[in-house]
Amino acid sequence: MSKVIIVEGKSDKDRLLEILDEEVEIVCTNGTISYERMEELIADYQGEEIYVLVDADEPGNKLRRMLKNEFPEVIHLYTQKMYREVATTPIEYLAQVLDRAHFEVKPEALEGKGE
C-alpha cells in the first residue's frame, strides 16, 4: 500500500518534497474544489493510505471539513495556526508531523537543517 498526501498548492508540495525521504504521491487540489472533483480524486487512490495536510486558514478548514464528512477514512495531519500555511511552516515542525505519522523523513529535516 502506498501513501498519498493531499495538499492545496504546489508550494505545499514543494515544501513536503524537501522533507520526505520516501516515494509519496503528493496531490495538489489547487485550492477549494467541489465535492464531485474530490470524489474523483479520492477514487483514483482507492486502497492507498490517504493523508490530508492543508493550510490552517478558512479555505483549508473548508476542504478539511468536506473530507471529514465525505471520506472519514482519510487521515488528517495538521500544521499550527500560528504558521498558517503548510508552505511557510518550519521544516523541522513539518518533519515531526510527518515522522509521527510514520513517513520516512530526511534526518536533516528533523534536526532543523533542511531550511
Side-chain angles (χ1 to χ4, degrees):
M1 179 181 301
S2 60
K3 298 174 184 172
V4 177
I5 302 176
I6 297 172
V7 297
E8 289 177 87
K10 185 179 180 326
S11 59
D12 300 333
K13 178 179 182 174
D14 292 344
R15 191 68 156 174
L16 295 184
L17 290 173
E18 294 180 54
I19 298 166
L20 291 166
D21 203 18
E22 68 176 295
E23 291 269 335
V24 176
E25 181 78 23
I26 303 174
V27 178
C28 299
T29 65
N30 298 311
T32 306
I33 61 175
S34 68
Y35 167 76
E36 292 78 18
R37 177 66 188 114
M38 184 57 70
E39 189 171 44
E40 291 170 12
L41 187 73
I42 297 288
D44 289 343
Y45 298 104
Q46 287 298 326
E48 311 293 341
E49 286 183 47
I50 302 174
Y51 296 81
V52 175
L53 180 56
V54 295
D55 296 345
D57 59 10
E58 190 46 43
N61 291 335
K62 182 178 178 181
L63 181 58
R64 191 179 292 283
R65 282 191 302 272
M66 180 178 69
L67 284 162
K68 280 183 178 181
N69 288 335
E70 302 299 332
F71 308 101
E73 69 278 7
V74 170
I75 301 161
H76 293 265
L77 305 175
Y78 297 86
T79 188
Q80 291 186 3
K81 287 182 183 179
M82 64 190 232
Y83 300 134
R84 199 162 152 77
E85 299 177 7
V86 172
T88 58
T89 299
I91 285 180
E92 184 176 4
Y93 182 81
L94 282 178
Q96 291 170 6
V97 168
L98 293 167
D99 185 56
R100 282 193 303 267
H102 308 289
F103 284 89
E104 292 178 33
V105 298
K106 296 174 183 170
E108 61 271 17
L110 280 171
E111 298 165 6
K113 296 177 186 167
E115 300 262 2

